[in-house]
Amino acid sequence: MNFIWDTTKTANWVIGLILIVIVYGFVLFLYTKIVKRKTGYAFVAISFSLLLISFLLSLFYSFVIIACISSVFIMISAFSNLGELRRILANPFKIERGKSSKVGVEKIYNREEFYKTIETAVLNFSKTKTGALMTFEKSTSLNDMMKNGVMVKAPVSAELLATIFYPGTRLHDGAVIIKDNMIVAAAVFYTPTTKPFAGKYGSRHRAAIGISEVSDSVTVIVSEETGRISFAVSGELETVTPENFTRVFENYMEGFGEEE
């Protein structure tokens, strides 16, 4: 068994070690952004340690086996989190805002009143089976999405939302983007998801899932066929009852239940 310092090609070993550190640094970055689980961090740490040991002891076959297993695991994790990966690739250098960034910042609108207004609008859409698609911007900017829509820039009100989504109007066939308590744009069209789903979902639902895959926004969908209310968040679709709408909506907007 030869140690690294016993070889005559120390420079090549040093270069190899640097490459290992760079690759696993990138892997750790992906886990931080995509997986966000302690098990992911543990895997990276353990595999890196084993890889480093086999590297230092010149155990070539062990090195290759560990590297292959690590690569397969990483690929599986990436494909199982394609929605999050798409969001990262859309803006790889974006710095995520933590909850601490809100400290000391006073909202200029009444949040409870805002939730009540949205509840009134959504329940009315559900009762009358009026199709609606509303996206609520959080930390990921949706300015690029608004370019294909119509700028509104008006305070949120149940009456205005009802007017926008009234069948036959020019603005009803797209999404509304809401930031804080302002309706910023209407008639916005998103790139629909390509993710397969077991159930039958129309263009509104697929568009909602599509925008949730590339941003941390919360999108509310009301089906014009059934009046069913759904949320699209992080590439997933959740259907809720009218009675539970406000509670679930508040949880998503406040970030409750998000994975640490």
Side-chain angles (χ1 to χ4, degrees):
M1 181 182 297
N2 296 321
F3 288 86
I4 181 173
W5 48 82
D6 294 329
T7 67
T8 58
K9 299 180 179 180
T10 305
N12 291 339
W13 283 99
V14 172
I15 294 174
L17 181 60
I18 293 174
L19 290 175
I20 292 174
V21 173
I22 292 174
V23 170
Y24 269 81
F26 177 71
V27 171
L28 184 58
F29 168 78
L30 286 181
Y31 268 102
T32 302
K33 291 287 188 177
I34 301 175
V35 181
K36 299 179 182 178
R37 297 190 184 98
K38 292 181 179 179
T39 53
Y41 303 147
F43 167 78
V44 173
I46 293 172
S47 60
F48 177 77
S49 299
L50 293 175
L51 204 61
L52 184 60
I53 291 172
S54 62
F55 176 83
L56 293 174
L57 298 180
S58 300
L59 301 175
F60 176 75
Y61 293 109
S62 298
F63 182 90
V64 172
I65 292 173
I66 295 171
C68 289
I69 293 175
S70 302
S71 300
V72 170
F73 185 86
I74 292 164
M75 290 176 62
I76 293 173
S77 299
F79 278 108
S80 63
N81 293 274
L82 279 178
E84 188 69 13
L85 184 61
R86 282 183 59 191
R87 184 177 69 82
I88 294 169
L89 294 178
N91 194 354
F93 301 107
K94 177 181 175 296
I95 299 176
E96 297 290 343
R97 298 178 184 176
K99 293 182 181 180
S100 59
S101 63
K102 298 181 181 180
V103 176
V105 179
E106 292 293 333
K107 292 296 183 182
I108 60 174
Y109 65 95
N110 187 316
R111 190 173 290 271
E112 291 184 3
E113 183 178 329
F114 170 74
Y115 289 146
K116 186 64 179 177
T117 299
I118 299 301
E119 177 190 34
T120 300
V122 170
L123 296 189
N124 182 60
F125 291 148
S126 178
K127 185 182 298 183
T128 58
K129 295 184 179 180
T130 300
L133 183 61
M134 295 177 286
T135 298
F136 299 85
E137 181 181 294
K138 295 183 75 177
S139 65
T140 304
S141 174
L142 300 178
N143 289 340
D144 290 340
M145 304 294 176
M146 301 176 194
K147 293 178 181 179
N148 64 55
V150 177
M151 301 307 293
V152 178
K153 295 183 179 179
V156 172
S157 71
E159 293 77 16
L160 180 54
L161 288 171
T163 300
I164 291 174
F165 288 112
Y166 186 81
T169 60
R170 191 169 71 90
L171 302 180
H172 90 285
D173 203 23
V176 159
I177 294 180
I178 297 174
K179 181 176 181 180
D180 295 333
N181 69 330
M182 297 289 292
I183 299 176
V184 185
V188 179
F189 290 89
Y190 304 137
T191 301
T193 183
T194 57
K195 191 175 181 180
F197 286 92
K200 180 182 178 182
Y201 295 103
S203 57
R204 277 196 182 93
H205 291 81
R206 292 194 168 275
I209 297 169
I211 188 63
S212 74
E213 289 176 337
V214 297
S215 72
D216 64 349
S217 61
V218 176
T219 299
V220 177
I221 317 100
V222 179
S223 170
E224 63 181 346
E225 295 180 358
T226 63
R228 181 178 59 192
I229 304 170
S230 303
F231 285 93
V233 179
S234 300
E236 299 295 333
L237 199 66
E238 178 184 359
T239 301
V240 298
T241 62
E243 295 76 18
N244 291 330
F245 169 77
T246 302
R247 177 181 59 81
V248 177
F249 180 54
E250 290 180 4
N251 288 347
Y252 278 134
M253 293 299 292
E254 297 294 338
F256 296 158
E258 289 184 355
E259 197 170 37
E260 294 297 332

